[in-house]
Amino acid sequence: ETGVTQTPRHLVMGMTNKKSLKCEQHLGHNAMYWYKQSAKKPLELMFVYSLEERVENNSVPSRFSPECPNSSHLFLHLHTLQPEDSALYLCASSEGQVGSSEKLFFGSGTQLSVL
Amino acid sequence: DQQVKQNSPSLSVQEGRISILNCDYTNSMFDYFLWYKKYPAEGPTFLISISSIKDKNEDGRFTVFLNKSAKHLSLHIVPSQPGDSAVYFCAASERNNDMRFGAGTRLTVKP
């Protein structure tokens, strides 16, 4: 399998649930990212990991918790979400380290609905 | 603070004609610009990029133009094909900083 894969593709959860999004990259890249895409809005960067170290957290609420156990895997743990958190969550990777002005490779995303 | 703007949410063109997608930015420190294409139920895929030291980059039917003085970027697709129908995102980055995206323009190419 190649590229960046995300699971699940769709997720419906209640506000009291706990769930996790998974991302795996098979490209040998050094940096991984979580982006949020709400309808008709720009992609918003949530978290960045470079060589498994978190380098950026763009003031994301604590109900979103990232985990990067190794350079190929990235998780986003979700708990007590709000309906406004419903969005497409995209994982991406890049070859070099963060800030190296390189293109991103995206997964297909997880469409999240919070009821 | 939206540093990258795509003011046209949608564009419709006839097959065979030119599609021109526009993007404006506010940060003069951006030095690398990209266009991504997104089909429904898929993630964005890289299409073409341009460095700030250039004003044009061409790849087949796709050409990106950069006007630094106007802080304006455009993507030209010629000739347009129905398979080009997708959402196109403009993105820009500044060295040692994260990439900023526009809200996207939905292109529809009619047969």
Side-chain angles (χ1 to χ4, degrees):
Chain A
E1 193 168 355
T2 58
V4 180
T5 55
Q6 288 186 244
T7 55
R9 293 295 301 273
H10 302 273
L11 179 62
V12 179
M13 59 187 289
M15 290 190 284
T16 58
N17 291 160
K18 290 184 180 181
K19 297 286 184 183
S20 295
L21 309 185
K22 180 182 175 182
C23 176
E24 185 174 0
Q25 60 100 355
H26 309 270
L27 301 168
H29 286 173
N30 289 317
M32 295 187 76
Y33 310 75
W34 280 116
Y35 279 88
K36 175 184 178 183
Q37 188 193 5
S38 303
K40 299 182 180 179
K41 287 187 176 181
L43 276 71
E44 302 171 45
L45 179 63
M46 299 177 72
F47 299 103
V48 182
Y49 279 83
S50 181
L51 298 173
E52 304 159 43
E53 296 287 327
R54 187 194 298 184
V55 296
E56 192 162 345
N57 171 0
N58 282 340
S59 302
V60 178
S62 59
R63 57 186 184 268
F64 296 91
S65 175
E67 178 189 0
C68 186
N70 55 62
S71 59
S72 299
H73 293 85
L74 187 64
F75 295 89
L76 187 62
H77 304 298
L78 317 171
H79 65 97
T80 59
L81 293 192
Q82 305 298 310
E84 60 264 29
D85 297 321
S86 299
L88 179 67
Y89 288 84
L90 290 160
C91 174
S93 69
S94 64
E95 183 175 2
Q97 297 189 32
V98 175
S100 57
S101 294
E102 293 184 343
K103 61 188 180 188
L104 301 176
F105 291 77
F106 286 90
S108 297
T110 295
Q111 186 66 53
L112 174 67
S113 296
V114 182
L115 305 179
Chain B
D1 175 25
Q2 196 170 331
Q3 298 184 35
V4 178
K5 295 181 182 179
Q6 294 176 256
N7 292 320
S8 298
S10 63
L11 174 68
S12 181
V13 300
Q14 206 68 33
E15 181 179 7
R17 299 291 188 108
I18 185 171
S19 296
I20 300 177
L21 297 100
N22 294 303
C23 177
D24 296 295
Y25 61 95
T26 58
N27 186 348
S28 59
M29 299 301 290
F30 285 144
D31 58 5
Y32 187 55
F33 303 87
L34 310 90
W35 284 94
Y36 287 84
K37 176 180 179 180
K38 185 182 183 301
Y39 291 118
E42 294 183 15
T45 55
F46 170 76
L47 187 59
I48 192 169
S49 65
I50 188 167
S51 163
S52 60
I53 62 173
K54 295 185 175 181
D55 54 19
K56 176 183 175 181
N57 188 26
E58 190 172 352
D59 183 3
R61 296 185 297 113
F62 302 90
T63 303
V64 56
F65 294 92
L66 176 61
N67 183 334
K68 289 185 289 292
S69 60
K71 295 191 181 67
H72 180 79
L73 190 69
S74 63
L75 174 68
H76 292 211
I77 307 173
V78 56
S80 301
Q81 299 173 354
D84 296 328
S85 297
V87 177
Y88 289 79
F89 292 96
C90 171
S93 69
E94 174 190 354
R95 190 157 184 83
N96 298 323
N97 265 299
D98 58 277
M99 195 169 291
R100 302 281 184 168
F101 286 82
T105 296
R106 180 177 300 279
L107 173 66
T108 303
V109 181
K110 297 180 179 179

